[in-house]
């Protein structure tokens, strides 16, 4: 074997000694990137890793997505080292990176609280300053078991026991601290200078509620102090915009343990809910959807036919009609509308002339989501969707996708979301139908997205087993991405339900079924919209659009008159005539995110005017009552 190898760096080929460390080789790089790790033939490694074969070697900067992963995982190690030095006897378990940060699960004598975090952070800073070298060590599995056993690290021993006996495992050492880890890591702890521990939580070992409860510490790390600060500012903004908090402040909805994960929409919340449905209904008339109403509870036979019995039963609420003496649960509450739409389609004979048929349904759905996964409105057990199913011929698919993409664009433009992002989920490993059919149908979806001016990413293997799908994401004001809309082709359900239509040649053929939702789950959408807007909803969605604030009890009648005038003109208005100071009333109206406040005092009553204040800080203005109505008329309706 020659002692020389060829390495390619920045497109230049260099002949170098076999076994030189990646970090050394990268000093040959033309640009001035100071790497914290390297990629050797596409594999992320430590700078200290010897390069032993011909390879392309790339620098990984701290700011790059790969670099941030390395930085964050290295910071998780730093935290674990700090924890074990401050709280001897605490055992370590796992500490992966997550979106925007990392966590580490510990088994301490007493669970950590938020009060422990500053102390741990200080220790981390101390260890980072000490510039401890981070070294990779490899050893046979059994040797590693013996090592962690001698350190009384029961969880680590359990993890290593899951690795095949003849394998080498890698450990990372910094100072006197060591952890089992695949790596890679920063070369030394001084590279870790912008981090923050954010919260603590309980977590079960291996996520199993029968196991011990561990203490999890979350944190984040960035390449620079500025980037960290910007992130923390966003987190703070997210906290202040948490839809559960806004829901309370704005009086929109409540939750009660009597119905876990099932929101109770208060009158104001119900207004938002129904406004969204009314909006979709107006669009349905324009886009040619027909609304249907379907049952809530079905005999289990339906779920057997649709396949939900095997695929989804654990997420369904099962029930009985009470006539069954054995009390057998022979009915299921619907988790989705599709099967009932297939039943409706099947109830009549169809010719190709009838297609496409587009059924839309706002029916209540129930899903037995696990209690640990429930989260405000964004993960619920009781919901409705702006759900529709299109039955069409294979030739009609392209036009139907066009129609739905146009609808998606119109809705998200109207609701003030920025660019929407599309992904095409392609053929998964487990799939029905031939690869050729799949490619053809993926092409149809891709073509429709391009035709409608959308860029899209591929999501390889992420289609449903019954057909490819388009997933649509919106970024909110906090730069988080939410999956909202979806368009899915389904070649399976028509088969299972034996759906047919008569072709122009007089043969029976299977229609295609397209599942699609634009807003998606309404509950979740409202949660996302609240966080995106911070509760400052478009005028047409605001539960209370105008509040009339009286300056004294002398103008109570005039305040009532203005309110009645607004109500008659179709606006949602109320009067606050309590004997409170104006400042107090304004603050309350602002907290409730009411777009307009019409202040009336004796002067306004005498001249039959209002002093109008806006939630969004623009200048106040004095208007006649006609002027007020004219101004409100300029508030746009989405359609
Ligand atoms: Zn690690
Ligand atoms: Zn469906």
């Amino acid at each position: 074997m020659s002692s020389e190898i060829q390495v390619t760096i920045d497109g230049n080929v260099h002949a170098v000694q076999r076994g030189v460390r990646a970090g050394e080789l990268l000093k040959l790089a033309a640009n001035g990137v100071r790497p914290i790790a390297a990629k050797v033939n596409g594999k992320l490694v430590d700078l200290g890793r010897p390069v032993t074969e011909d390879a392309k070697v790339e620098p990984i900067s701290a700011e790059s997505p790969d670099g941030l992963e390395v930085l964050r995982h290295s910071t998780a190690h730093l935290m674990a080292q700090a924890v074990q030095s401050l709280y001897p006897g605490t055992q370590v378990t796992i500490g992966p990176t997550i979106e925007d940060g990392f966590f580490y699960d510990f088994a301490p004598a007493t669970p950590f609280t938020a009060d422990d975090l500053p102390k741990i952070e200080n220790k981390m800073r101390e260890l980072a300053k000490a510039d401890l070298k981070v070294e990779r060590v490899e050893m046979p599995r059994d040797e590693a078991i013996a090592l962690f056993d001698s350190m009384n690290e029961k969880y680590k021993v359990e993890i290593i026991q899951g690795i095949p006996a003849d394998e080498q495992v890698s450990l990372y050492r910094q100072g006197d601290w060591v952890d089992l880890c695949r790596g890679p890591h920063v070369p030394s702890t001084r590279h870790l200078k912008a981090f923050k521990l954010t919260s603590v939580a309980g977590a079960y070992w291996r996520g199993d509620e029968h196991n011990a409860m561990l203490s999890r510490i979350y944190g984040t790390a960035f390449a620079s102090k500025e980037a960290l600060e910007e992130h923390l500012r966003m987190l703070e903004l997210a906290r202040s915009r948490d839809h559960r908090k806004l829901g309370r402040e704005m009086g929109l909805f409540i939750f009660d343990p009597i119905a876990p994960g099932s929101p109770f929409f208060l009158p104001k919340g119900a207004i938002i809910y129904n406004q969204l449905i009314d909006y979709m209904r107006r669009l349905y008339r324009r886009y040619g959807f027909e609304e249907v109403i379907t049952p809530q509870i079905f005999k289990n036979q339906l779920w057997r036919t649709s396949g939900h019995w095997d695929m989804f039963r654990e997420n369904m609420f099962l029930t009985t009609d009470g006539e069954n003496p054995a009390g057998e649960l022979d009915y299921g509450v619907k988790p989705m509308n599709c099967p009932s739409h297939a039943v409706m389609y099947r109830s009549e004979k169809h010719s190709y002339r009838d297609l496409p048929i587009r059924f839309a349904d706002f029916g209540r759905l129930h899903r037995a989501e696990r209690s640990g996964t429930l989260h405000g409105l964004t993960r619920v057990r009781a919901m409705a969707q702006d759900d529709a199913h299109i039955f069409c011929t294979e030739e009609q698919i392209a036009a139907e996708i066009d129609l739905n993409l146009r609808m998606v664009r119109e809705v998200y433009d109207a609701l003030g979301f920025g660019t929407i992002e599309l992904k095409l989920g392609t053929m998964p490993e487990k799939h029905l139908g031939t690869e050729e059919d799949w490619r053809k149908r993926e092409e149809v979806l891709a073509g429709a997205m391009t035709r409608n001016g959308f860029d899209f990413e591929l999501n390889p293997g992420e289609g449903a087993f019954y057909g490819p799908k388009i997933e649509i994401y919106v970024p909110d004001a906090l730069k988080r991405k939410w999956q909202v809309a979806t368009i899915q082709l389904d070649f399976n359900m028509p088969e299972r339900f034996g759906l047919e239509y008569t072709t122009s040649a007089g043969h029976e053929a299977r229609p295609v079924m397209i599942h699609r939702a634009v807003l998606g789950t309404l509950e979740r959408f409202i949660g996302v919209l609240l966080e995106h807007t911070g509760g400052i909803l478009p005028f047409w969605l605001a539960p209370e659009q105008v509040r009339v604030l009286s300056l004294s009890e002398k103008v109570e009648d005039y305040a009532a008159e203005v309110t009645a005038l607004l109500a008659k003109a179709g606006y949602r208005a109320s009067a606050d005539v309590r004997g409170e100071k104006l400042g107090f009333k304004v603050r309350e109206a602002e907290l409730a995110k009411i777009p307009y406040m019409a202040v009336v005092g004796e002067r306004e009553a005498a001249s039959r005017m209002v002093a109008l204040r806006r939630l969004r800080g623009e200048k106040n203005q004095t208007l006649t009552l006609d002027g007020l109505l004219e101004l409100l008329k300029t508030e746009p309706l989405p359609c």
Side-chain angles (χ1 to χ4, degrees):
M1 197 158 63
S2 154
S3 68
E4 258 191 11
I5 55 169
Q6 308 266 325
V7 296
T8 311
I9 299 168
D10 281 346
N12 300 317
V13 182
H14 306 263
V16 299
Q17 285 293 310
R18 190 184 300 276
V20 177
R21 295 174 191 278
E24 284 301 312
L25 294 175
L26 285 173
K27 289 181 182 163
L28 299 168
N31 62 24
V33 176
R34 271 201 293 177
I36 60 161
K39 252 189 189 168
V40 175
N41 284 337
K43 190 169 173 267
L44 201 56
V45 298
D46 302 310
L47 290 177
R49 179 71 69 92
V51 178
T52 55
E53 57 186 3
D54 290 354
K56 183 174 169 213
V57 184
E58 300 162 86
I60 298 298
S61 72
E63 305 71 30
S64 66
D66 283 332
L68 282 172
E69 286 268 311
V70 171
L71 206 63
R72 286 169 183 160
H73 187 52
S74 295
T75 311
H77 275 212
L78 188 71
M79 173 171 82
Q81 184 181 15
V83 163
Q84 290 198 305
S85 99
L86 289 169
Y87 308 90
T90 296
Q91 290 185 66
V92 289
T93 67
I94 55 159
T97 55
I98 49 174
E99 171 132 40
D100 289 336
F102 61 84
F103 67 77
Y104 209 116
D105 285 348
F106 299 100
T110 45
F112 296 122
T113 70
D115 295 337
D116 295 311
L117 300 186
K119 191 169 150 192
I120 299 170
E121 263 180 27
N122 278 337
K123 189 74 188 172
M124 288 166 70
R125 268 189 281 275
E126 196 182 296
L127 292 167
K129 245 188 224 135
D131 195 16
L132 304 171
K133 206 159 178 261
V134 181
E135 287 172 300
R136 182 186 172 94
V137 190
E138 291 188 13
M139 60 176 70
R141 184 197 82 149
D142 289 343
E143 209 172 295
I145 291 179
L147 174 70
F148 284 102
D149 199 34
S150 74
M151 292 157 64
N152 231 340
E153 295 281 5
K154 287 188 311 207
Y155 294 93
K156 283 287 166 190
V157 169
E158 192 182 320
I159 295 169
I160 308 171
Q161 277 165 345
I163 298 171
D166 49 356
E167 256 179 48
Q168 288 277 106
V169 299
S170 62
L171 273 52
Y172 278 78
R173 212 182 265 289
Q174 53 198 54
D176 56 2
W177 189 82
V178 65
D179 196 1
L180 169 80
C181 188
R182 277 197 202 95
H185 282 283
V186 294
S188 80
T189 57
R190 97 185 134 81
H191 291 269
L192 311 172
K193 42 194 175 221
F195 52 79
K196 174 91 190 153
L197 303 186
T198 46
S199 61
V200 294
Y204 293 107
W205 168 232
R206 293 192 190 278
D208 182 337
E209 61 220 43
H210 302 102
N211 287 343
M213 173 69 97
L214 303 169
S215 203
R216 173 174 298 179
I217 303 180
Y218 286 99
T220 189
F222 282 84
S224 70
K225 292 229 163 69
E226 295 70 37
L228 173 66
E229 239 122 69
E230 168 65 11
H231 176 75
L232 295 177
R233 206 180 57 76
M234 284 304 227
L235 276 188
E236 189 47 48
L237 196 59
R239 245 193 300 278
S240 72
R241 287 183 169 204
D242 187 319
H243 73 274
R244 295 166 298 179
K245 177 172 166 283
L246 289 171
R248 256 192 322 277
E249 289 170 0
M250 296 171 69
L252 303 179
F253 54 84
I254 60 154
F255 284 90
D256 190 288
I258 202 70
S262 307
F264 294 64
F265 282 90
L266 300 168
K268 287 182 175 178
I271 287 172
I272 301 176
Y273 206 104
N274 287 326
Q275 285 295 319
L276 286 171
I277 290 178
D278 289 351
Y279 172 44
M280 292 313 297
R281 283 192 171 127
R282 292 197 295 273
L283 290 173
Y284 284 167
R285 286 195 285 275
R286 260 181 36 220
Y287 283 87
F289 286 79
E290 296 175 294
E291 194 175 336
V292 296
I293 298 171
T294 46
Q296 198 70 52
I297 296 170
F298 298 86
K299 290 199 167 164
N300 289 336
Q301 185 52 49
L302 181 79
W303 312 116
R304 291 205 176 87
T305 305
S306 69
H308 288 95
W309 192 252
D310 293 327
M311 306 287 285
F312 208 77
R313 189 174 20 165
E314 62 192 34
N315 290 109
M316 284 176 60
F317 290 99
L318 300 180
T319 185
T320 167
D321 62 3
E323 282 178 14
N324 185 336
E328 211 175 300
L329 301 176
D330 43 14
Y331 289 83
V333 181
K334 72 175 166 189
M336 40 194 82
N337 290 313
C338 350
S340 59
H341 293 182
V343 169
M344 266 192 303
Y345 178 92
R346 198 176 56 184
S347 69
E348 274 183 90
K349 254 187 108 47
H350 298 282
S351 119
Y352 69 98
R353 290 176 210 277
D354 304 334
L355 304 185
I357 289 174
R358 307 187 191 98
F359 289 149
D361 198 330
F362 293 106
R364 302 294 309 159
L365 308 174
H366 291 82
R367 296 180 186 171
E369 301 284 1
R370 298 189 60 164
S371 50
T373 65
L374 300 172
H375 180 87
L377 292 181
T378 51
R379 191 78 181 237
V380 289
R381 287 180 163 180
M383 72 211 82
Q385 300 183 325
D386 63 334
D387 198 7
H389 294 96
I390 299 161
F391 301 90
C392 65
T393 68
E394 180 114 27
E395 294 70 40
Q396 289 171 328
I397 294 174
E400 290 307 301
I401 305 299
D402 281 349
L403 177 99
N404 283 288
L405 287 176
R406 281 203 305 277
M407 195 166 172
V408 164
R409 167 165 286 149
E410 175 170 350
V411 167
Y412 286 94
D413 279 353
L415 288 164
F417 283 89
T419 23
I420 51 185
E421 292 175 23
L422 281 71
K423 287 191 182 165
L424 173 59
T426 59
M427 189 177 80
E429 209 162 305
K430 202 179 141 220
H431 59 264
L432 294 173
T434 67
E435 191 166 340
E436 197 194 329
D437 279 345
W438 271 84
R439 295 303 166 226
K440 204 172 74 197
R441 289 156 182 169
E442 288 164 10
E443 279 303 310
V444 172
L445 295 190
M449 287 188 277
T450 308
R451 200 161 47 241
N452 285 279
F454 288 110
D455 286 336
F456 64 92
E457 269 176 45
L458 281 182
N459 214 349
E462 290 299 310
F465 74 95
Y466 48 73
K469 65 176 175 190
I470 298 175
E471 293 167 357
I472 296 154
Y473 296 79
V474 293
D476 70 8
L478 304 173
K479 299 180 191 144
R480 297 168 304 188
K481 278 185 200 129
W482 299 89
Q483 198 205 325
V484 279
T486 177
I487 304 173
Q488 308 188 1
L489 302 187
D490 187 347
F491 299 87
N492 179 46
M493 210 167 301
E495 192 74 37
R496 285 176 162 269
F497 280 88
L499 307 186
E500 289 181 336
Y501 70 94
T502 314
T503 65
S504 55
H507 307 301
E508 294 304 304
R510 285 260 182 272
V512 182
M513 190 168 174
I514 303 175
H515 309 250
R516 83 98 186 88
V518 177
L519 300 175
T521 297
L522 292 169
E523 283 72 7
R524 188 178 134 88
F525 183 81
I526 291 171
V528 171
L529 187 64
L530 286 172
E531 300 199 1
H532 176 59
T533 58
I536 302 178
L537 298 170
F539 183 75
W540 63 276
L541 273 177
E544 197 179 336
Q545 296 170 309
V546 188
R547 188 176 286 181
V548 181
L549 310 179
S550 64
L551 279 172
S552 75
E553 57 188 44
K554 289 186 196 139
V555 295
E556 235 174 75
D557 289 348
Y558 181 61
E561 188 192 332
V562 175
T563 310
L565 179 80
L566 289 166
K568 201 172 150 223
Y571 297 106
R572 296 183 289 274
S574 70
D576 184 352
V577 294
R578 293 172 301 168
E580 303 284 353
K581 289 232 161 56
L582 180 65
F584 178 84
K585 293 185 186 180
V586 168
R587 267 194 305 283
E588 276 203 348
E590 283 175 347
L591 204 59
K593 306 285 192 286
I594 299 166
Y596 291 104
M597 290 158 259
V599 181
V600 295
E602 286 176 63
R603 194 159 35 129
E604 284 79 14
S607 58
R608 303 194 57 76
M609 301 191 69
V610 298
L612 194 69
R613 296 174 72 109
R614 292 164 202 245
L615 179 61
R616 273 168 277 194
E618 287 124 291
K619 226 169 65 194
N620 299 346
Q621 54 190 138
T622 306
L623 292 169
T624 61
L625 297 182
D626 283 345
L628 174 63
L629 292 178
E630 280 308 308
L631 182 130
L632 294 180
K633 258 192 231 158
T634 65
E635 285 286 358
L637 254 187
C639 80

